[in-house]
């Protein structure tokens, strides 16, 4: 078994954060080739830092590691988008999130992760991280869409990479995909809870806030299909649902690990 030292993991984490930061701060002055090369380097270093965390003598999965995994998955999705849609550029906001996520996971790794006998545990985690990433991408594209719409309203040059309608389509495609995975996460979570605790439903903060987030997303999808919800109403629901999800798992884990130190 390969064992990774803390010094090596620290070095890789800081290199990844510096690469992300350099991309965020210097992307406007870089050509397409150097920009994408630096983005690829940051993405690979980020992945290596996550792998190293699981190769340490005591693997950890705290709230910050969950953020780091989610952001890495989101950057992976965005990288595929950039390949499929050449008009898109490497986004500075995502690069800043990457830098912050890597350093946060290095600083707050959490307690040692205990492997559970049921296969539902890793499935639940994988589906959850994937749904967070896709819904986060929906929120990012929604923010880009609002910026483009504001610029058009004030007759200003747009900084967006895609037309407004294309951004809107991408936003809701990611919403639909993320909602499907979130639904699967909740279903698997019921089986996981039954096998581990003997009950299908535990009324804790994580469960309640996650279900509330699911209901908000469901209302947004139905409201858009039947009532034509768009613009500010749709974006407020999108941001609200995503905030509930973040508070549900990451927020509750932050309180337990950092504030209560359990």
């Amino acid at each position: 078994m390969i064992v990774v030292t803390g010094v090596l993991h620290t070095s890789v984490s800081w290199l990844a954060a510096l690469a992300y930061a350099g991309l965020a701060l210097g992307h406007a002055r870089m050509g397409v080739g150097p920009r994408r090369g630096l983005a690829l380097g940051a993405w690979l270093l980020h992945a290596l830092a996550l792998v190293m965390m699981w190769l340490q003598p005591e693997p950890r999965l705290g709230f910050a590691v969950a953020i780091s995994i989610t952001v890495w998955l989101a950057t992976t999705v965005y990288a595929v988008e950039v390949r499929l849609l050449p008009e898109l550029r490497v986004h500075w906001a995502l690069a800043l999130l990457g830098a912050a996520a890597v350093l946060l996971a290095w600083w707050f790794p959490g307690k040692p992760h205990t492997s559970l006998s049921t296969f539902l545990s890793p499935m639940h985690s994988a589906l959850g991280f994937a749904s967070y990433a896709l819904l986060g991408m929906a929120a990012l594209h929604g923010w880009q869409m609002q910026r483009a719409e504001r610029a058009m309203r004030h007759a200003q040059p747009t900084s967006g990479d895609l037309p407004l309608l294309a951004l809107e389509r991408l936003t809701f495609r990611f919403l639909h995909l993320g909602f499907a995975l979130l639904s699967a996460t909740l279903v698997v979570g019921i089986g996981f809870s039954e096998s581990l605790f003997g009950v299908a439903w535990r009324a804790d903060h994580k469960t309640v806030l996650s279900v509330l987030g699911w209901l908000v997303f469901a209302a947004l999808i139905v409201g858009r299909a039947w009532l034509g919800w768009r613009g500010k109403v749709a974006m407020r629901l999108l941001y609200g649902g995503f905030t509930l999800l973040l508070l549900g798992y990451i927020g509750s884990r932050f309180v337990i690990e950092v504030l209560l130190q359990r």
Side-chain angles (χ1 to χ4, degrees):
M1 178 180 176
I2 300 175
V3 177
V4 176
T5 64
V7 174
L8 185 58
H9 178 252
T10 297
S11 301
V12 171
S13 297
W14 276 92
L15 284 173
L18 289 173
Y20 275 130
L23 184 63
L25 299 176
H27 71 284
R29 297 183 294 273
M30 295 180 187
V32 175
R35 189 165 58 229
R36 291 190 174 179
L38 187 57
L40 177 61
W43 179 81
L44 289 173
L45 286 168
H46 190 169
L48 185 58
L50 289 172
V51 171
M52 284 182 168
M53 187 162 291
W54 285 93
L55 293 178
Q56 293 191 31
E58 292 186 324
R60 297 169 184 267
L61 183 60
F63 82 95
V65 178
I67 293 175
S68 187
I69 293 172
T70 301
V71 171
W72 183 82
L73 288 173
T75 59
T76 303
V77 172
Y78 198 79
V80 173
E81 271 196 290
V82 170
R83 298 294 296 179
L84 296 177
L85 301 169
E87 304 94 330
L88 280 174
R89 296 171 294 179
V90 177
H91 206 280
W92 61 268
L94 202 53
L96 279 181
L97 278 175
V102 171
L103 292 181
L104 200 61
W106 168 75
W107 189 257
F108 295 106
K111 289 188 175 182
H113 180 67
T114 303
S115 298
L116 300 175
S117 57
T118 174
F119 73 96
L120 293 175
S121 175
M123 183 186 297
H124 179 65
S125 298
L127 287 170
F129 292 143
S131 66
Y132 278 33
L134 291 174
L135 292 168
M137 290 301 296
L140 174 63
H141 285 307
W143 173 65
Q144 289 178 303
M145 182 176 67
Q146 284 189 302
R147 290 184 65 197
E149 187 178 12
R150 193 178 305 116
M152 288 178 60
R153 191 180 303 118
H154 294 90
Q156 297 174 348
T158 60
S159 58
D161 302 295
L162 291 173
L164 183 60
L165 290 178
L167 284 171
E168 185 179 38
R169 284 195 299 270
L170 281 174
T171 298
F172 285 95
R173 282 175 185 171
F174 278 118
L175 171 62
H176 292 151
L177 289 172
F179 179 76
L181 287 181
L182 178 61
S183 301
T185 303
L186 294 177
V187 171
V188 172
I190 292 174
F192 172 56
S193 179
E194 285 184 336
S195 65
L196 188 62
F197 305 109
V199 293
W201 170 271
R202 298 183 71 210
D204 53 16
H205 294 85
K206 174 188 172 183
T207 304
V208 171
L209 290 172
S210 297
V211 171
L212 286 176
W214 184 90
L215 290 173
V216 170
F217 289 131
L220 172 55
I221 291 172
V222 172
R224 177 175 169 79
W226 291 359
L227 303 175
W229 287 353
R230 302 177 71 179
K232 290 183 179 180
V233 173
M235 291 304 100
R236 285 171 182 167
L237 288 172
L238 176 59
Y239 298 150
F242 189 61
T243 300
L244 286 170
L245 282 187
L246 291 180
L247 291 175
Y249 180 76
I250 294 172
S252 61
R253 295 305 306 172
F254 172 80
V255 171
I256 293 172
E257 295 173 19
V258 178
L259 299 183
L260 301 180
Q261 295 186 352
R262 292 180 184 172

